[in-house]
């Protein structure tokens, strides 16, 4: 008798659990009925600029072009595009439905583009970390770094940190922290943010009037309950970042700078600042003690015009694709070609040329076999891809004005 009662109890618990799970799934679906699998294996998304404005576009693996539905607004523009980590959807920063640029989602299966952001401040396209599917992402809005839940359309401010965390459907929420004054030492607004691998810290770039600063921002508090301050990495006139699987990050620097009040004494000679190098690539690694270890992938001396631009790390974290060129007298960058090197200290010494010409915006395929890029050809900026092993190039787009190509992360078609 007791055995029968036990079995009935277990069955009841299982049934209740199944009902609860089903109810929750139904509620999520009701709030965001986004149906249809999309096979994006080998596909490339990009931004195309034409007389009609800037629009997102997809080129499938077999060369087929897929355009989103036309916006009702005549002045609508798509300015950024990213894939979800499963390669099923694209997210845009667009003004299709408002005066400001906000988050939109494009479902290529249903050919539906819908607003998924919040009205108010302009928002960049969200970045989904590998393995995140269509869940939470990071985005930059109004110079702040926000955690974004695309299904619920909510945001939570992460940087600068706030004293009272809040999940909200309105911009803002929470009071400024005492750390705000510390952040003002590095810049006036954030322009780039990526999760560190531990998801407990963020790599970020702040811009200011005189240049940019790269930071490592640990989240949370110390044992005394104080918010953790940002740890500066480096400053420069122009900075770029690319995360490396395993927890490291590559930082690209053009025109190295020191804070006026923090110039190391060894670089001051006869009352003048003498930089150890001017342009370079750094490999940064967090230590268990909460510090940062810096290794030089490659640098150029101050008297050389050679510099780097537009970096991309391979999916396995072993190789770095980066554009090499020269800086002009007005400090603009003149690209000369694309090179590949190991992601390691001194990696530039093992660099091999991949493509020559006016190259930009490299992006790796998820299998690490190809790199997509933009090539300047006369009056056109076209999308190409190159086989990293053979060097064979193939043109992806027709002649036009394209930018920001990005491969779908999808490795196999959805079942």
């Amino acid at each position: 008798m007791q055995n029968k009662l036990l079995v009935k109890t277990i069955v009841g618990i299982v049934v209740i659990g199944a009902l609860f799970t089903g109810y929750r799934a139904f509620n999520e679906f009701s709030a965001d009925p986004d149906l249809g699998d999309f096979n994006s294996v080998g596909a490339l998304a990009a931004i195309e600029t034409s007389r009609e404005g800037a629009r997102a576009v997809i080129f499938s693996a077999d060369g087929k072009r897929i355009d989103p539905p036309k916006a009702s607004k005549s002045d609508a523009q798509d300015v950024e595009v990213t894939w979800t980590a499963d390669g099923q959807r694209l997210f845009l920063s667009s003004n299709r439905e408002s005066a400001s640029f906000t988050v939109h989602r494009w479902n290529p299966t249903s050919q539906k583009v819908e607003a998924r952001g919040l009205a108010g401040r302009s928002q960049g396209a969200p970045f989904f970390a590998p393995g995140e599917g269509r869940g939470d992402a990071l985005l930059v809005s109004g110079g702040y770094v926000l955690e974004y839940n695309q299904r619920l359309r909510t945001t939570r401010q992460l940087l600068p940190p706030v004293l009272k965390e809040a999940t909200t459907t309105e911009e803002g929420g929470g009071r400024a922290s005492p750390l705000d004054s510390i952040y003002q030492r590095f810049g006036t607004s954030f322009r780039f943010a990526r999760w560190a691998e531990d998801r407990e810290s963020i790599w970020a770039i702040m811009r200011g009037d005189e240049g940019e600063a790269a930071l490592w921002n640990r989240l949370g508090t110390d044992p005394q309950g104080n918010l953790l301050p940002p740890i500066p990495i480096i400053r420069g006139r122009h900075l770029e970042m690319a995360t490396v699987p395993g927890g490291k990050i590559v930082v690209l620097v053009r025109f190295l700078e020191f804070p006026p009040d923090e110039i190391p004494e060894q670089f001051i000679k006869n009352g003048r600042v003498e930089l150890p190098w001017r342009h370079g690539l750094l490999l940064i690694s967090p230590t268990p003690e909460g510090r940062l270890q810096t290794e030089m992938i490659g640098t150029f001396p101050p008297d050389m015009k050679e510099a780097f631009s537009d970096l991309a790390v391979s999916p396995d974290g072993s190789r770095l694709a980066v554009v090499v060129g020269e800086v002009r007298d007005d400090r603009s960058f003149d690209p000369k070609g694309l090179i590949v090197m190991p992601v390691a200290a001194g990696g530039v010494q093992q660099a091999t040329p991949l493509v020559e010409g006016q190259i930009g915006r490299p992006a790796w395929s998820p299998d690490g076999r190809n790199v997509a890029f933009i090539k300047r050809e006369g009056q056109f900026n076209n999308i190409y891809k190159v086989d990293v092993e053979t060097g064979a190039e193939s043109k992806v787009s027709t002649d036009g004005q394209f930018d920001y190509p990005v491969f779908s992360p999808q490795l196999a078609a959805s079942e």
Side-chain angles (χ1 to χ4, degrees):
M1 187 69 177
Q2 290 181 344
N3 288 339
K4 289 183 179 180
L5 182 60
L6 177 62
V7 170
K8 288 182 179 180
T9 301
I10 294 174
V11 170
I13 293 173
V14 171
V15 169
I16 292 172
L19 289 173
F20 176 77
T21 301
Y23 177 74
R24 184 173 60 182
F26 176 77
N27 277 346
E28 291 181 354
F29 172 78
S30 300
D32 184 22
D34 180 38
L35 297 175
D37 290 335
F38 178 59
N39 179 4
S40 64
V41 177
L44 271 163
I47 296 293
E48 180 185 21
T49 302
S50 65
R51 292 180 179 179
E52 297 182 353
R55 298 285 189 276
V57 62
I58 298 173
F59 292 96
S60 65
D62 59 4
K64 179 183 177 183
R65 176 180 171 132
I66 305 172
D67 291 289
K70 191 173 181 179
S72 57
K73 289 178 57 181
S74 60
D75 63 343
Q77 308 275 333
D78 303 330
V79 294
E80 289 183 1
V81 58
T82 59
W83 292 93
T84 53
D86 58 10
Q88 291 281 349
R89 304 288 182 265
L90 288 101
F91 276 77
L92 319 172
S93 176
S94 178
N95 64 346
R96 287 170 172 255
E97 297 183 27
S98 64
S100 58
F101 286 87
T102 59
V103 176
H104 286 64
R105 183 179 62 199
W106 175 14
N107 181 335
T109 301
S110 64
Q111 274 298 69
K112 181 179 181 181
V113 176
E114 58 180 336
R116 299 301 302 173
L118 308 175
R121 295 173 179 163
S122 291
Q123 303 153 359
F127 173 77
F128 293 85
E132 286 298 301
R134 292 179 237 172
D136 293 340
L138 286 182
L139 63 81
V140 176
S141 174
Y144 298 90
V145 178
L146 309 179
E147 185 178 38
Y148 165 72
N149 185 300
Q150 65 92 13
R151 186 173 292 277
L152 300 177
R153 299 176 63 182
T154 59
T155 62
R156 180 170 67 102
Q157 182 175 317
L158 298 180
L159 298 176
V162 293
L163 291 174
K164 178 183 177 182
E165 293 185 353
T167 299
T168 176
T169 55
E170 301 292 338
E171 288 290 345
R175 294 180 289 120
S177 77
L179 288 180
D180 281 356
S181 59
I182 295 178
Y183 281 94
Q184 290 171 9
R185 294 168 44 203
F186 304 113
T188 55
S189 63
F190 287 91
R191 74 162 182 85
F192 174 94
R194 293 289 184 269
W195 281 114
E197 191 148 302
D198 59 9
R199 292 298 298 268
E200 295 179 358
S201 58
I202 295 173
W203 303 105
I205 296 175
M206 290 193 76
R207 62 160 63 97
D209 296 334
E210 300 299 326
E212 299 183 329
L215 307 172
W216 180 44
N217 295 258
R218 294 172 298 164
L219 305 177
T221 59
D222 62 18
Q224 289 72 42
N226 301 311
L227 291 168
L228 296 170
I231 297 179
I233 300 172
I234 202 161
R235 291 176 184 258
R237 180 64 58 174
H238 174 78
L239 303 177
E240 299 177 28
M241 282 181 162
T243 56
V244 181
K248 301 180 181 182
I249 193 162
V250 177
V251 182
L252 181 152
V253 183
R254 285 211 302 273
F255 297 102
L256 172 68
E257 295 179 349
F258 291 124
D261 57 343
E262 299 178 19
I263 303 174
E265 292 185 5
Q266 64 265 37
F267 300 124
I268 302 177
K269 296 182 180 179
N270 299 321
R272 298 181 60 182
V273 178
E274 293 190 6
L275 297 174
W277 49 273
R278 189 173 296 275
H279 317 295
L281 294 166
L282 313 179
L283 182 60
I284 310 297
S285 311
T287 68
E289 297 77 27
R291 299 192 179 110
L292 294 176
Q293 176 181 326
T294 301
E295 299 174 278
M296 300 295 185
I297 298 176
T299 59
F300 292 111
D303 59 347
M304 294 183 66
K305 290 187 175 182
E306 282 75 13
F308 299 109
S309 183
D310 296 5
L311 76 164
V313 173
S314 63
D316 65 0
S318 66
R319 292 176 291 180
L320 174 68
V322 64
V323 176
V324 65
E326 297 180 352
V327 290
R328 304 183 181 96
D329 292 339
D330 63 357
R331 291 197 169 191
S332 62
F333 181 77
D334 181 20
K336 302 295 184 181
L338 183 65
I339 60 176
V340 174
M341 67 185 73
V343 179
V348 72
Q349 298 173 12
Q350 303 178 52
T352 56
L354 196 58
V355 180
E356 293 184 358
Q358 298 285 301
I359 307 299
R361 313 294 190 192
W364 288 87
S365 62
D367 57 12
R369 297 177 182 176
N370 295 280
V371 174
F373 56 92
I374 298 296
K375 178 188 284 190
R376 179 73 176 175
E377 297 180 306
Q379 61 181 327
F380 301 113
N381 289 306
N382 296 317
I383 303 175
Y384 279 78
K385 63 181 179 180
V386 58
D387 186 299
V388 177
E389 301 303 326
T390 67
E393 292 181 49
S394 57
K395 190 174 181 179
V396 176
S397 66
T398 55
D399 286 342
Q401 301 297 332
F402 296 92
D403 208 348
Y404 305 104
V406 56
F407 272 103
S408 164
Q410 199 175 101
L411 279 168
S414 299
E415 298 296 332

